[in-house]
Amino acid sequence: MEQHNDLTEGNVTPTLLKFAFPFLLASLLQALYGAADLLVVGQFDNSAQVSAVATGSQIMQTITSVILGLTTGGTILLGNYLGAKKYNDLAESVGTIICIFGIMAAILTVSMVILTGAITNLMNTPAEAFEYTKQYIFICSCGIPFIIGYNALSGILRGLGNSKAPLYFIAVACVTNIVIDLILVGGFHMGAPGAAIATIAAQAISFIIGVSYIIKVGFSFEFHRSHIRLESEKAKRIFKLGLPIALQDGLINISFIIITAVINVMGLTASASVGVVEKIIVFTMLPTIAFASAIAAMTAQNMGAGKQERAKQCLYVGIGCSLIIGIICYAYAQWHPTSLTALFSRDATVIETAALYLKSYSIDCILVCFVFSMNSFFSGCGNSLFPMIHSLIATFIIRIPLSFVLSKMAGITLYEIGFASPLATFASLVICIIYMRSGKWRNNQLFSPYSPSCN
């Protein structure tokens, strides 16, 4: 039987690094096979195909972010139960997670397949890329059950302190995606549709391997088929923890879609450039996301075990570790941005335009080190509502309006528009610092029935 990983003992720094590193590698691989579509299409096809993959992947990323938010709720709940050694509650929570995400997979798949055309229209997709974008979104939508399945299984394992297994699942999927991309896009010149087929094939393999692993290895607590049912109390806790995170991530990604739609009006070059930079930014922020996820899991377990001060140490160590990498990413983006943007396009104009956008946008690589870590800490304490509120304020009151206004001004380039994101993140950081200093994050009652530390 698989033994869970206790994150409530030992030195904080090596414990956090040991947990975060496999998650970071898994995230890098997942982002790599996500970016592989754009990278391979950029090398073998024209800007219309690049724009299609860039726009379509924004839609799919939004769906994935919502799923990740909800799975984070499950991860936190499992971690807190594990810290409190409530093993029957663990089994019931795992069963409830399986039911919730099974239902979601069915609903989202049908909805996205039906709405593919309408969504492509709403994105103000350039005419040259319209049909390719529609095909990409439709094919990827058919693979939603695999996307949801993989992320749900990974969330369960990470909640139990196991961040290594998801790494193995995604490593195989990454190789598969790249190989199929090269065959369909590079060999058969299928463009965006070929890239979409490669993506869902990779997700399917991740899911199948994950299911096989859990069936073979099992858990360190009793778990039977009878546990796979919707426990109302567990479901409420999962949604109370995960829904604010899902709404936060989902609406923020919708804001990216809105901004993409705004910039799409500026033409094919601008559309392709924004898509290229978004892929680059995903990579640069992966270390921060990995450390933030480790903070959430460690905080949940330590709060469950009544170790509040240790949970705070996790936050500080996570910020420090991610900040080192964030500064390096920002510095490189300032020094030689075209070396990054050229990876995703052969069009000289797109490479230069994307480089301008990246130089201003990359300030975010530093600021998110603080905001993502603090959000995960608050969520790990059982308070995921506050991160949602301040993120939505920053995004919908600052970033979107500022991007829209700037895009309508004569002579404005993507360089100026790129500052909208770091300005919004800075506003979030100020709000987070005020909230942290107030001490109100200690007053959450979500875990009070079994975690006195959160009283």
Side-chain angles (χ1 to χ4, degrees):
M1 298 288 284
E2 177 192 21
Q3 296 302 309
H4 63 253
N5 186 13
D6 190 347
L7 304 176
T8 64
E9 302 293 338
N11 187 284
V12 169
T13 301
T15 301
L16 184 130
L17 287 171
K18 184 178 179 181
F19 184 81
F21 188 66
F23 184 83
L24 172 59
L25 290 179
S27 299
L28 282 170
L29 289 171
Q30 189 166 22
L32 178 60
Y33 85 66
D37 291 349
L38 193 64
L39 193 152
V40 175
V41 169
Q43 297 304 315
F44 290 98
D45 281 289
N46 56 31
S47 293
Q49 297 279 9
V50 172
S51 176
V53 174
T55 301
S57 61
Q58 283 276 21
I59 300 295
M60 301 314 299
Q61 179 58 39
T62 299
I63 293 173
T64 302
S65 67
V66 171
I67 300 305
L68 281 171
L70 285 175
T71 58
T72 299
T75 295
I76 293 169
L77 184 63
L78 291 174
N80 202 262
Y81 277 134
L82 184 60
K85 298 183 175 15
K86 301 285 188 178
Y87 298 120
N88 186 60
D89 287 322
L90 274 174
E92 291 182 351
S93 297
V94 169
T96 299
I97 289 171
I98 293 172
C99 291
I100 289 173
F101 290 100
I103 295 170
M104 286 187 63
I107 295 173
L108 276 174
T109 301
V110 173
S111 300
M112 284 299 298
V113 167
I114 293 173
L115 296 173
T116 296
I119 292 170
T120 308
N121 273 316
L122 286 173
M123 290 297 293
N124 290 329
T125 306
E128 305 95 320
F130 188 88
E131 283 303 318
Y132 302 133
T133 304
K134 185 177 178 180
Q135 292 167 0
Y136 184 91
I137 295 173
F138 176 81
I139 294 170
C140 286
S141 295
C142 293
I144 285 176
F146 302 123
I147 296 174
I148 293 178
Y150 164 75
N151 285 292
L153 290 175
S154 296
I156 290 170
L157 291 170
R158 289 178 184 130
L160 300 176
N162 182 353
S163 58
K164 291 182 180 179
L167 169 62
Y168 305 142
F169 309 157
I170 208 67
V172 176
C174 180
V175 174
T176 302
N177 187 65
I178 293 173
V179 170
I180 299 177
D181 262 333
L182 290 173
I183 294 172
L184 298 184
V185 179
F188 291 95
H189 301 287
M190 291 177 63
I197 293 171
T199 296
I200 65 169
Q203 290 283 10
I205 288 175
S206 290
F207 176 64
I208 292 169
I209 293 175
V211 171
S212 300
Y213 174 85
I214 288 181
I215 290 175
K216 181 178 180 180
V217 178
F219 300 109
S220 60
F221 50 88
E222 290 295 324
F223 182 80
H224 307 289
R225 289 183 180 179
S226 60
H227 287 117
I228 304 178
R229 61 181 184 274
L230 202 62
E231 292 283 346
S232 60
E233 186 58 34
K234 302 297 186 301
K236 287 178 184 177
R237 290 181 183 274
I238 290 168
F239 278 107
K240 190 169 184 180
L241 285 165
L243 193 56
I245 302 173
L247 288 173
Q248 169 194 320
D249 294 346
L251 289 173
I252 288 175
N253 273 276
I254 287 173
S255 78
F256 294 158
I257 292 174
I258 293 172
I259 291 171
T260 299
V262 167
I263 294 175
N264 276 350
V265 178
M266 297 173 67
L268 190 61
T269 296
S271 173
S273 298
V274 169
V276 165
V277 171
E278 289 293 352
K279 288 297 183 185
I280 294 170
I281 289 294
V282 166
F283 275 101
T284 62
M285 292 186 179
L286 286 177
T288 299
I289 293 170
F291 283 113
S293 297
I295 290 169
M298 289 186 69
T299 299
Q301 281 200 28
N302 282 283
M303 283 299 204
K307 298 182 178 181
Q308 190 178 96
E309 288 304 312
R310 180 179 169 84
K312 289 172 65 177
Q313 290 177 23
C314 297
L315 168 63
Y316 303 142
V317 171
I319 290 175
C321 292
S322 58
L323 188 59
I324 294 172
I325 301 174
I327 292 173
I328 293 172
C329 291
Y330 167 74
Y332 189 86
Q334 300 303 306
W335 173 58
H336 201 9
T338 54
S339 66
L340 298 174
T341 57
L343 293 172
F344 296 93
S345 179
R346 294 179 298 172
D347 187 321
T349 305
V350 170
I351 292 171
E352 292 296 333
T353 304
L356 286 175
Y357 189 53
L358 178 61
K359 289 187 75 171
S360 53
Y361 196 152
S362 60
I363 299 172
D364 230 15
C365 295
I366 296 175
L367 296 176
V368 297
C369 295
F370 297 93
V371 176
F372 285 8
S373 297
M374 295 174 82
N375 280 349
S376 291
F377 174 75
F378 298 142
S379 296
C381 289
N383 184 357
S384 53
L385 182 61
F386 172 75
M388 181 192 76
I389 293 172
H390 78 74
S391 296
L392 296 185
I393 289 173
T395 300
F396 288 91
I397 294 181
I398 298 176
R399 187 179 183 199
I400 292 177
L402 186 56
S403 297
F404 179 78
V405 171
L406 289 174
S407 71
K408 298 300 181 183
M409 295 175 66
I412 287 293
T413 68
L414 288 185
Y415 178 74
E416 289 82 15
I417 296 175
F419 283 107
S421 184
L423 284 172
T425 305
F426 181 74
S428 278
L429 176 57
V430 171
I431 297 172
C432 281
I433 292 173
I434 293 172
Y435 185 74
M436 186 76 184
R437 290 175 64 88
S438 74
K440 292 181 179 180
W441 53 272
R442 296 186 180 93
N443 299 327
N444 174 63
Q445 297 297 313
L446 181 64
F447 295 139
S448 57
Y450 53 92
S451 182
S453 65
C454 290
N455 286 339

